[in-house]
Amino acid sequence: MHIAEGFLPPAHAVAWGVASAPFVVHGVRSLTREVKEHPESTLLLGASGAFTFVLSALKLPSVTGSCSHPTGTGLGAILFRPPIMVVLGTITLLFQALLLAHGGLTTLGANVFSMAIVGPWAGYAIYKLLRRFDVPLMVAVFFGAFLADLSTYCVTSVQLALAFPDPSSGFLGALGKFGSIFAVTQIPLAVSEGLLTVLVMRLLVQSSKGELTRLGVLLAKKQSRTETETEAVAR
Amino acid sequence: MSRNTKINILLLVVVAALAVLPLALGLGDHKEEPFTGADAEAETAITEIEPDYEPWFSPLYEPPSGDIESALFALQAALGAGVLAYYFGLRRGRRQGEERALERVGGAESAVGATAEESTAERS
């Protein structure tokens, strides 16, 4: 999903930068507030950022015969809500742009928009929706991470198709082309990311119950239990 | 092995299988260069659509070789894995410490209870 340095025309690069900037500013504010109000969450924040670091460095082979990497943004979005994940994702993208020549500074806005904004929000939205319908936690986590990953690559395809419409078939033709490169390749990787996120969430449930309850990941369950208890008492 | 551990290992095995299967089944054989990065493929696609396009900015720093690039990617993964391992190690250590402290407190209380019972028994 990394659009390489200089590979977006200046107007597009600026536009995506402008679109991403408010999310990053808002994210930095949410992050500083979180750290100030709950200093104990710093460790888990670090772990969420670390998860993105690991997953976005893992280039895995896929069914299309090419390689791509997961994003790791679903976990942080589910734990700390998307605004904070925007910051963690942006840090990862900056690291890759500056040290690995992977992505770039001129395309940072576009890459932040796909990986650190749309991905986390899409994943978080489906996670919340599934939880509302009482879908088991781990199933909701799987689909949250899956969608955070896949939607990121769909956005990248749209961004490139907007910048480089096909001379004969236009935007849709280019979207098909970039989509087959990114989105199709990404489907099995998104499954992998979903499974790995479930694994980490399982480890967190074992090791950090208190923290997950404070963040609301485990709260829903307890609430419904106390609700049924009060109902039983009322009867 | 507990059921929990088994499920965790199963998850890892499925992820590994998803990564290995495309290689084992030779799904990249139809390509000139199998298993190149999707990002690089997108660059090629851009130059196909717009042959005249010239990137207008180049990276400030570029790893001098593919090996150095791999090293930096490994560094990125290692940093992340290190922090994750630290987190889970710390949590586990804290939990064990708490359990031990609780056991000690519990043991001390029952000891106190026993001596109190003894003294009342002596008095009567």
Side-chain angles (χ1 to χ4, degrees), chain A residues 6 8 65 67 100 202 206 208, chain B residues 4 8 35-36 38 53 56 95:
Chain A
L8 274 185
C67 267
L100 305 171
R202 287 173 53 84
Q206 284 167 32
S208 323
Chain B
N4 251 333
N8 290 347
F35 298 111
T36 48
Y53 187 81
W56 54 282
R95 214 176 47 210

Side-chain angles (χ1 to χ4, degrees), chain A residues 74-153:
Chain A
L75 180 74
I78 289 170
L79 289 176
F80 290 103
R81 302 196 69 249
I84 287 181
M85 195 59 232
V86 173
V87 186
L88 302 179
T90 306
I91 293 171
T92 311
L93 286 168
L94 253 181
F95 178 92
Q96 293 179 323
L98 292 176
L99 282 179
L100 305 171
H102 204 64
L105 294 177
T106 59
T107 50
L108 187 66
N111 290 334
V112 163
F113 199 84
S114 63
M115 185 177 126
I117 297 171
V118 173
W121 274 109
Y124 181 74
I126 192 78
Y127 162 80
K128 272 286 172 190
L129 188 76
L130 290 175
R131 289 299 279 159
R132 189 156 295 166
F133 287 102
D134 282 332
V135 171
L137 175 66
M138 290 307 165
V139 179
V141 167
F142 173 84
F143 282 105
F146 175 86
L147 198 70
D149 184 316
L150 194 59
S151 61
T152 297
Y153 282 80

Side-chain angles (χ1 to χ4, degrees), chain A residues 100-226:
Chain A
L100 305 171
H102 204 64
L105 294 177
T106 59
T107 50
L108 187 66
N111 290 334
V112 163
F113 199 84
S114 63
M115 185 177 126
I117 297 171
V118 173
W121 274 109
Y124 181 74
I126 192 78
Y127 162 80
K128 272 286 172 190
L129 188 76
L130 290 175
R131 289 299 279 159
R132 189 156 295 166
F133 287 102
D134 282 332
V135 171
L137 175 66
M138 290 307 165
V139 179
V141 167
F142 173 84
F143 282 105
F146 175 86
L147 198 70
D149 184 316
L150 194 59
S151 61
T152 297
Y153 282 80
C154 293
V155 172
T156 306
S157 308
V158 171
Q159 287 170 330
L160 285 176
L162 281 174
F164 302 100
D166 197 88
S168 52
S169 51
F171 168 76
L172 286 178
L175 185 63
K177 196 166 195 171
F178 291 116
S180 67
I181 292 173
F182 282 122
V184 180
T185 304
Q186 203 60 25
I187 292 170
L189 299 195
V191 172
S192 295
E193 166 152 11
L195 295 173
L196 285 173
T197 308
V198 166
L199 174 69
V200 171
M201 192 60 96
R202 287 173 53 84
L203 296 174
L204 285 175
V205 168
Q206 284 167 32
S207 70
S208 323
K209 272 213 176 76
E211 196 76 4
L212 292 188
T213 313
R214 185 182 72 70
L215 292 167
V217 176
L218 288 180
L219 188 81
K221 218 178 189 175
K222 275 189 182 164
Q223 244 178 5
S224 64
R225 200 176 291 160
T226 47

Side-chain angles (χ1 to χ4, degrees), chain B residues 7-120:
Chain B
I7 295 177
N8 290 347
I9 290 175
L10 182 73
L11 284 170
L12 283 175
V13 168
V14 175
V15 171
L18 276 172
V20 171
L21 277 178
L23 296 173
L25 297 176
L27 293 175
D29 291 353
H30 63 284
K31 295 199 168 182
E32 275 176 41
E33 282 181 82
F35 298 111
T36 48
D39 292 342
E41 283 186 359
E43 286 174 37
T44 319
I46 290 171
T47 44
E48 273 170 30
I49 292 176
E50 247 187 78
D52 302 332
Y53 187 81
E54 285 287 328
W56 54 282
F57 198 83
S58 46
L60 301 176
Y61 167 78
E62 210 158 349
S65 76
D67 295 298
I68 309 274
E69 195 188 337
S70 308
L72 286 167
F73 264 105
L75 176 72
Q76 187 194 330
L79 278 174
V83 172
L84 277 176
Y86 174 79
Y87 177 83
F88 284 112
L90 190 75
R91 284 283 158 178
R92 198 190 168 93
R94 270 191 197 162
R95 214 176 47 210
Q96 284 176 346
E98 277 166 16
E99 276 165 17
R100 248 174 246 156
L102 277 177
E103 269 170 33
R104 219 171 288 150
V105 170
E109 269 173 7
S110 61
V112 169
T115 47
E117 269 169 34
E118 270 169 31
S119 57
T120 47

